[in-house]
Structure formats: structure tokens, C-alpha cells
Amino acid sequence: ADQSAPQTGLDRRLARSLRRGTAEVDATLDLHGCTQAEAHQRLVHFVQAAALRGNVILRIITGKGARGEGSESGGGRGILRRRVPEWLAEAPLGPLIRGVTVAGPRQGGDGALYVVLKRGRG
């Protein structure tokens, strides 16, 4: 284990290139407008499929949460921003994941996350 790595589980160089948007993203999942149930199901499928394909860097767009919208819009999308990192940490996804970091301002800022999968599974 590299002591200089931040708690995200990513080495500094990778974390920096993700924030700058210069890292190569293997796949993107957009959860904009999903209910929590839909989002959770899609997230699990997406990450598991990506791991099977050998993808390493994933971008997950949660949206920043609806401002000024009624909570009738499927429970309010701001909830996904909070829930997605929790789901990524739990089974069945937790063991597949090396680290998670918030996207840089030009890549969606806190409305998007980068997920780095562990390599060489299976």
C-alpha cells in the first residue's frame, strides 16, 4: 500500500488527472432523473458489467439535485448524489472498487463521480 495515496484509494497522479478530466474514461452512466430504485439497479448492473469487460475508469453522473423543483420528481434527485457513494461502498459493488472521487468542475463537478475499479478480477 502506498502511504502517499489519499483516502480515495487512488494514487495522486490518477486522482489529479480525473479531477482535470484528462484521464481516459472507459464508460459513463447517467442517472439523471432516475428514481432511487432505478438508479441503484442500473448502477449495480453498470459496474458489474464494466468489471467483467475489464474497464477501469467509470464516470457516473448523478446530477446536482433539482433546485426549485417540487419533490414529486421521483424523490428529488439530490438524493442520488448522497446515495450513489453509499451504494458503491456496499456489497455487491464495494469489493470491485478501488476508489471513488468527485469530478472536476468542467466534468460535472459534484454532479458526477469517477469510480476506479480494481484490475484483473476473474
Side-chain angles (χ1 to χ4, degrees), residues 50-111:
L52 286 173
R53 286 195 305 268
N55 290 355
V56 178
I57 299 177
L58 311 178
R59 180 173 45 216
I60 296 171
I61 299 166
T62 61
K64 295 186 181 184
R67 275 190 289 275
E69 278 185 31
S71 57
E72 294 84 1
S73 63
R77 288 192 292 278
I79 192 76
L80 293 183
R81 219 173 100 192
R82 293 195 299 276
R83 296 292 286 141
V84 166
E86 295 170 15
W87 295 334
L88 291 168
E90 297 165 357
L93 301 180
L96 302 174
I97 291 169
R98 191 170 112 211
V100 177
T101 188
V102 173
R106 288 200 303 276
Q107 287 70 53
D110 55 8

Side-chain angles (χ1 to χ4, degrees), residues 28-44 46 59-63 77 80-81 83-85 87-88 111 113:
T28 298
L29 174 66
D30 190 344
L31 296 175
H32 255 118
C34 289
T35 65
Q36 280 192 72
E38 288 169 345
H40 187 245
Q41 192 174 26
R42 289 177 63 188
L43 182 70
V44 169
F46 175 74
R59 180 173 45 216
I60 296 171
I61 299 166
T62 61
R77 288 192 292 278
L80 293 183
R81 219 173 100 192
R83 296 292 286 141
V84 166
W87 295 334
L88 291 168
L113 294 169

Side-chain angles (χ1 to χ4, degrees), residues 1-6 10-12:
D2 171 20
Q3 272 96 33
S4 71
L10 309 177
D11 61 74
R12 280 210 169 95

